[in-house]
Amino acid sequence: MPVILTACTQRKRVTPNPLLCARDLPIGTVGQVAEAWMAKVATVETVAPAKDIYCGRSFVEAKKAADSAQAELHIVSAGLGLIHSQQDIPSYNLTVSRGNQDCILDKLQDHGDADWWAALGGHKTMNDLFDRSSGLIIIALPSPYLRMVAPALQGVSDALCERIRIVGGRDVPDLNPRLEGIRLPYDDRLDGPQSTLPGTRSDFASRAVRHFVENVLATAPLATAKDHAELVEIALAGWDRPSSKLGTRMSDRDLKSIVRDHWSRADGRSTKLLRILRDELNIACEQKRFARLTAEIREERAL
């Protein structure tokens, strides 16, 4: 049976437990902070299977891909390590995305995201999953999450490497040559006018894995990584890249004013707000800057 790895999402169907917010953790070493966080996790009850808690387009597309491929879906979680989609979990607020008040990296005096995930047991759990699986393993992660798990992939055997496909993580160009050889060549043609699955950068990896399982893996389940890459190129051949939109730039003050005006319409959802700015209002805003500004607005609304 194939295995698909996707990323957790900030959006959740169940309101996060107020005891599980990274903003409330003390600053310390990665070991100290991980110990404090896991102690909190141990004190709260689970509320539902992971597949019923995470939401948003990126997770929906990953679930569709897993259903189509009849694959096990596992989730790389910045708060819980590696979890099965059927596993009961608590709802929480913790991310590795900068600009968010629950970004765990702001709490670490030393090391970074990969060390944090290893401290949660993520590296070990992922290697255990690889050891007991016998089918194809598709790693479909956005850049922050691929960067987080990359150290655990460096030492995989050649035989295991043959069974792995990497989708996404376009902003992680420094994987070692063996891993680059199993990365499928999806690019921004997936967002062009001929694409059936256009979207945003945040859901790119999940859209790409859905395209792969439905259009490539379904017809060539036993192909090599090289052949799969060639089939992806054939599938995308003739697809144009999206036209560039320069957009209107503006100050933080003016941008926050516009975001506040559309806050209720988007129900405070960052992805929807960003699409409104870029697609409807033609306003340019970098994703990290937008995350910082929306975090500031959330703090204002919480007062």
Side-chain angles (χ1 to χ4, degrees):
M1 176 182 290
V3 169
I4 293 177
L5 268 60
T6 189
C8 64
T9 60
Q10 185 176 343
R11 288 181 56 198
K12 299 177 178 68
R13 297 185 188 280
V14 179
T15 302
N17 190 310
L19 297 177
L20 292 183
C21 294
R23 73 194 75 169
D24 299 324
L25 289 170
I27 294 174
T29 65
V30 65
Q32 291 168 338
V33 178
E35 182 179 1
W37 174 252
M38 289 188 288
K40 286 177 175 286
V41 171
T43 63
V44 303
E45 294 184 359
T46 58
V47 292
K51 66 181 180 62
D52 298 327
I53 290 184
Y54 298 112
C55 59
R57 185 178 180 190
S58 62
F59 195 72
V60 169
E61 296 290 1
K63 286 202 296 183
K64 288 180 178 178
D67 290 343
S68 179
Q70 297 184 319
E72 285 188 17
L73 183 63
H74 292 257
I75 301 153
V76 174
S77 165
L80 302 174
L82 185 68
I83 53 179
H84 195 288
S85 62
Q86 301 284 353
Q87 180 179 334
D88 287 342
I89 63 170
S91 189
Y92 61 93
N93 270 329
L94 185 149
T95 181
V96 291
S97 297
R98 295 285 189 183
N100 187 295
Q101 61 185 336
D102 288 302
C103 178
I104 192 63
L105 304 183
D106 296 334
K107 299 294 183 177
L108 305 181
Q109 290 177 333
D110 59 345
H111 303 92
D113 45 11
D115 301 287
W116 168 255
W117 201 63
L120 291 181
H123 286 5
K124 181 181 185 304
T125 308
M126 190 169 73
N127 286 328
D128 289 345
L129 171 64
F130 291 173
D131 287 342
R132 67 174 180 269
S133 67
S134 58
L136 198 66
I137 299 166
I138 310 170
I139 300 174
L141 298 175
S143 296
Y145 285 80
L146 180 57
R147 190 175 293 111
M148 187 167 70
V149 307
L153 300 173
Q154 306 296 337
V156 298
S157 67
D158 290 341
L160 177 55
C161 197
E162 285 293 323
R163 291 194 289 114
I164 295 176
R165 305 289 182 270
I166 296 176
V167 179
R170 293 180 295 169
D171 296 329
V172 187
D174 51 351
L175 294 176
N176 71 33
R178 282 202 313 155
L179 298 180
E180 282 296 343
I182 56 176
R183 194 204 293 256
L184 300 177
Y186 283 98
D187 54 32
D188 55 0
R189 287 174 292 178
L190 195 64
D191 296 314
Q194 291 88 6
S195 175
T196 57
L197 289 167
T200 65
R201 289 175 63 88
S202 62
D203 52 42
F204 177 87
S206 296
R207 291 183 288 115
V209 74
R210 182 182 171 192
H211 181 275
F212 173 66
V213 301
E214 292 180 354
N215 296 275
V216 176
L217 188 63
T219 59
L222 301 179
T224 65
K226 181 180 179 181
D227 288 341
H228 275 156
E230 290 177 354
L231 289 170
V232 169
E233 284 289 2
I234 291 171
L236 301 184
W239 286 18
D240 298 322
R241 299 176 187 275
S243 57
S244 177
K245 292 182 179 179
L246 295 177
T248 302
R249 297 195 65 84
M250 56 180 57
S251 67
D252 284 3
R253 178 179 177 181
D254 291 341
L255 191 57
K256 287 172 71 173
S257 177
I258 292 174
V259 172
R260 291 189 192 98
D261 290 342
H262 292 273
W263 191 269
S264 297
R265 174 188 168 196
D267 196 27
R269 297 174 181 174
S270 298
T271 301
K272 190 170 183 179
L273 284 165
L274 189 55
R275 292 299 296 270
I276 290 172
L277 285 182
R278 290 177 173 175
D279 299 345
E280 296 184 20
L281 304 179
N282 195 30
I283 295 173
C285 183
E286 297 170 348
Q287 200 153 350
K288 287 184 178 180
R289 180 189 178 205
F290 179 77
R292 172 176 59 81
L293 296 178
T294 52
E296 291 173 3
I297 295 173
R298 285 195 181 89
E299 288 185 8
E300 293 171 4
R301 294 173 66 87
L303 296 177

